[in-house]
């Protein structure tokens, strides 16, 4: 009677240890969500930086005026800073200027419209792949 | 009989030690999870706040620079020795000559809107470096002066008077946010 009573209530040590193990596994899953969310924020941050850096090049070209904007690959894809301690090192930029016709199609010959297309490349920290941010603008002969 | 009752109720010392140590272990893990969640939350919200502040300030600053009629601050061609403030004529309302100045004050980015006038005609705003018939400079009136953004560590302006490069760096609790762009003065 005494033995029976003792066995039927409470948990055995083994049961507790198994429950504990399941809890730890669940916690590990949760813990991994935090660095992931920070990486997501970092990627969003890089995406905003990339948009400003693309805008940066467009403004530089627009300031030259229509006639002085060279046509062709103005900037081949390259890092914006040579020093790896600078945040700009992690951004690469490429800029292409083309003549376009009235249907906004690229034209080989000279027209009165130029299209500036800037692409900034940065690393997506989640998938470790390269992402890009592209903006284009059209400038015409005044 | 007495012996039986004692055996039936209560725990042995080993049982108590095991249950307390399990309790402590669970509490430690839960506690460290809690503090990790807290730290992660703080870092995320700091980074988001810095990004937000940087974007809002840079958008506003570059829009007002693009609108400006003339940039008065002499800008160096490269970013070394670049000034951390900029003074320019406001191009938003050209019916009156007013000026804007963006400057850093104890980690805050401030925007000052001001105008200049001569005492005999206080309602007519004049150019900042004009002089009256007695060669006296005009009086200054501050129309507005307020904080646009917090956590600023560095603000740089360089370039020509047509194309202004802007670089800013924000810091909050060891988190850094740096951004760079340029504005072409169109007016």
């Amino acid at each position: 009677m005494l033995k029976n009573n003792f066995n039927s209530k409470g948990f055995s040590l083994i049961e507790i240890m198994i429950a504990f193990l399941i809890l730890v596994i669940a916690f590990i899953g949760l813990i991994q969500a935090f660095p992931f969310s920070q990486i997501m924020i970092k990627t969003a941050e890089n995406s905003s930086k990339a948009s400003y850096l693309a805008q940066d090049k467009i403004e530089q070209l627009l300031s030259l005026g229509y006639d002085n904007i060279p046509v062709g690959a103005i900037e081949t894809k390259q890092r914006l800073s040579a020093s790896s301690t600078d945040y700009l090192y992690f951004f690469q930029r490429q800029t292409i200027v083309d003549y376009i016709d009235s249907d906004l199609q690229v034209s080989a010959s000279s027209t009165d419209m130029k299209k500036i297309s800037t692409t900034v490349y940065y690393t997506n920290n989640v998938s470790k792949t390269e992402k890009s941010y592209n903006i284009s603008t059209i400038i015409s002969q005044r | 009989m007495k012996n039986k009752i004692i055996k039936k109720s209560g725990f042995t010392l080993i049982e108590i030690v095991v249950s307390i140590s399990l309790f402590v272990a669970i509490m430690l893990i839960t506690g460290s999870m809690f503090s990790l969640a807290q730290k992660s939350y703080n870092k995320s919200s700091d980074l988001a706040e810095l990004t937000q502040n940087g974007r809002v300030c840079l958008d506003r600053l570059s829009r007002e620079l693009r609108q400006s009629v003339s940039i008065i601050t002499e800008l160096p061609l490269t970013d070394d020795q670049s000034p951390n403030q900029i003074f320019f004529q406001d191009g938003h309302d050209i019916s009156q000559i007013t000026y804007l100045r963006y400057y850093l004050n104890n980690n805050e980015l401030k925007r000052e809107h001001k105008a200049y006038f001569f005492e005999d005609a206080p309602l007519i705003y004049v150019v900042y470096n004009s002089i009256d018939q007695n060669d006296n400079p005009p009086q200054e009136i501050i129309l507005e002066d307020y904080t646009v953004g917090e956590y600023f560590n560095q603000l740089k302006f360089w370039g020509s008077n047509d194309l202004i490069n802007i670089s800013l760096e924000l810091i909050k609790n060891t988190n850094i946010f740096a951004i760079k762009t340029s504005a072409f003065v169109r007016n």
Side-chain angles (χ1 to χ4, degrees):
Chain A
M1 187 60 189
L2 186 73
K3 211 176 178 196
N4 220 356
N5 217 4
F6 184 74
N7 256 344
S8 68
K9 56 175 174 181
F11 305 101
S12 74
L13 186 59
I14 300 279
E15 284 170 329
I16 296 277
M17 294 309 270
I18 290 170
F20 200 40
L21 195 74
I22 293 171
L23 200 68
V24 167
I25 290 169
F27 274 176
I28 288 171
L30 277 175
I31 284 170
Q32 283 172 342
F34 296 117
F36 181 77
S37 77
Q38 256 160 46
I39 288 168
M40 290 288 281
I41 288 180
K42 207 76 198 160
T43 307
E45 197 184 301
N46 283 342
S47 153
S48 350
K49 286 181 183 178
S51 74
Y52 281 102
L53 292 170
Q55 178 79 25
D56 182 23
K57 190 68 194 175
I58 296 240
E59 295 275 318
Q60 281 174 25
L61 289 172
L62 288 180
S63 76
L64 298 175
Y66 180 84
D67 292 322
N68 299 321
I69 298 175
V71 175
I74 290 180
E75 225 180 3
T76 50
K77 190 176 164 186
Q78 60 182 344
R79 294 190 183 278
L80 294 172
S81 170
S83 132
S84 62
T85 53
D86 192 339
Y87 75 97
L88 293 174
Y89 178 81
F90 302 100
F91 293 90
Q92 291 171 282
R93 189 168 60 193
Q94 184 179 39
T95 308
I96 294 168
V97 177
D98 286 311
Y99 284 115
I100 51 168
D101 59 25
S102 52
D103 297 324
L104 303 182
Q105 297 304 308
V106 174
S107 157
S109 58
S110 171
T111 58
D112 284 341
M113 272 199 286
K114 284 174 184 170
K115 182 185 173 193
I116 306 169
S117 177
T118 301
T119 312
V120 176
Y121 300 90
Y122 61 97
T123 311
N124 177 336
N125 295 315
V126 182
S127 56
K128 299 281 170 207
T129 52
E130 191 179 63
K131 286 193 92 178
S132 66
Y133 185 94
N134 172 271
I135 47 175
S136 300
T137 190
I138 292 170
I139 182 170
S140 67
Q141 179 76 272
R142 286 195 192 187
Chain B
M1 189 61 188
K2 211 182 174 184
N3 204 10
K4 220 176 181 181
I5 288 170
I6 289 170
K7 272 205 161 176
K8 225 179 166 180
S9 67
F11 307 98
T12 67
L13 180 62
I14 300 216
E15 283 170 334
I16 289 183
V17 167
V18 168
S19 64
I20 288 179
S21 55
L22 281 174
F23 177 76
V24 168
I26 291 176
M27 275 320 208
L28 282 178
I29 291 181
T30 318
S32 64
M33 273 282 294
F34 182 75
S35 76
L36 184 76
Q38 194 70 29
K39 266 187 213 157
S40 174
Y41 171 79
N42 285 340
K43 190 175 166 99
S44 305
S45 68
D46 284 356
L47 278 172
E49 193 178 5
L50 291 182
T51 311
Q52 177 82 345
N53 277 7
R55 283 181 50 181
V56 168
C57 294
L58 193 54
D59 276 346
R60 184 164 189 180
L61 185 51
S62 49
R63 192 187 67 211
E64 286 186 326
L65 283 174
R66 275 178 204 126
Q67 276 183 344
S68 174
V69 183
S70 76
I71 310 292
I72 292 145
T73 306
E74 290 266 347
L75 296 172
L77 286 171
T78 55
D79 68 342
D80 26 276
Q81 296 169 9
S82 47
N84 66 353
Q85 59 163 314
I86 196 156
F87 183 50
F88 56 97
Q89 191 178 337
D90 185 13
H92 179 64
D93 178 11
I94 48 171
S95 63
Q96 282 272 48
I97 302 171
T98 59
Y99 294 92
L100 288 170
R101 186 168 78 99
Y102 277 90
Y103 62 103
L104 284 189
N105 178 34
N106 294 333
N107 301 330
E108 287 184 345
L109 176 67
K110 294 220 162 199
R111 177 186 182 269
E112 189 179 60
H113 187 200
K114 56 185 173 182
Y116 295 85
F117 65 91
F118 290 116
E119 236 159 49
D120 50 342
L123 288 176
I124 297 168
Y125 295 152
V126 295
V127 177
Y128 79 106
N129 56 0
S130 53
I131 44 171
D132 65 6
Q133 60 269 45
N134 303 322
D135 283 352
N136 290 321
Q139 308 254 342
E140 182 182 290
I141 175 174
I142 299 194
L143 304 166
E144 279 175 308
D145 186 13
Y146 56 83
T147 304
V148 186
E150 293 177 297
Y151 313 115
F152 275 77
N153 181 50
Q154 198 181 62
L155 179 66
K156 282 180 176 180
F157 297 100
W158 73 97
S160 64
N161 281 355
D162 268 347
L163 184 72
I164 300 160
N165 291 288
I166 312 158
S167 161
L168 32 109
E169 190 180 279
L170 292 89
I171 289 185
K172 187 185 182 191
N173 302 332
T174 73
N175 297 304
I176 299 178
F177 178 76
I179 202 163
K180 192 236 161 207
T181 198
S182 56
F184 161 45
V185 182
R186 289 169 170 78
N187 259 348

